[in-house]
Amino acid sequence: YFQKYWLRGYCNLIPYPLSTIHFDGCANHGPSRACKFLQRAAGVTEDGIIGRQTVAAIHSKGQAGVIRNLAEIRTDFYQSIVSRNPSQRIFLKGWLRRIDEVEDYSLSQLE
């Protein structure tokens, strides 16, 4: 997980606790998609590479706002999977519970 998701997802560049929900996204959606989701949540161009612009936007917006935006983007993504393929509905409750839990945890860790 460290090599495949943490490093490929640039989690080491993301401040804690935002890195927690981002890492969860890397493991669940793949690092490239998770990075684009993070960039969308931060309001920057979605190129899938986390750099200075993304990190600056995170600090500018504040972690709480980015965490909430990211959770909403991930929720929408899972709902779109079910819309395209209703047979996936069986997984939706678990997917959404996981996002809620990691969002709640991440927000609870803010100082």
Side-chain angles (χ1 to χ4, degrees):
Y1 279 83
F2 180 71
Q3 293 290 330
K4 190 171 183 181
Y5 300 109
W6 184 264
L7 293 179
R8 286 189 188 164
Y10 305 95
C11 297
N12 55 311
L13 301 179
I14 306 302
Y16 178 82
L18 176 58
S19 58
T20 303
I21 191 170
H22 176 58
F23 174 70
D24 184 69
C26 290
N28 281 270
H29 310 300
S32 179
R33 178 175 281 137
C35 287
K36 290 176 184 175
F37 285 172
L38 177 61
Q39 289 173 316
R40 186 181 316 160
V44 298
T45 303
E46 297 175 42
D47 63 7
I49 300 170
I50 306 300
R52 281 186 248 151
Q53 183 181 15
T54 303
V55 173
I58 289 166
H59 288 290
S60 174
K61 285 189 176 273
Q63 286 193 66
V66 178
I67 289 168
R68 288 185 185 100
N69 289 347
L70 186 54
E72 183 178 333
I73 290 164
R74 292 182 62 195
T75 296
D76 291 347
F77 176 74
Y78 281 131
Q79 290 173 336
S80 74
I81 289 173
V82 173
S83 292
R84 288 189 315 271
N85 185 350
S87 71
Q88 300 299 300
R89 181 168 297 283
I90 192 168
F91 303 111
L92 186 60
K93 185 176 179 181
W95 290 337
L96 298 182
R97 182 176 53 241
R98 182 183 183 112
I99 292 171
D100 285 345
E101 288 174 359
V102 75
E103 177 186 19
D104 289 346
Y105 174 80
S106 298
L107 290 171
S108 77
Q109 296 302 299
L110 290 171
E111 296 179 308

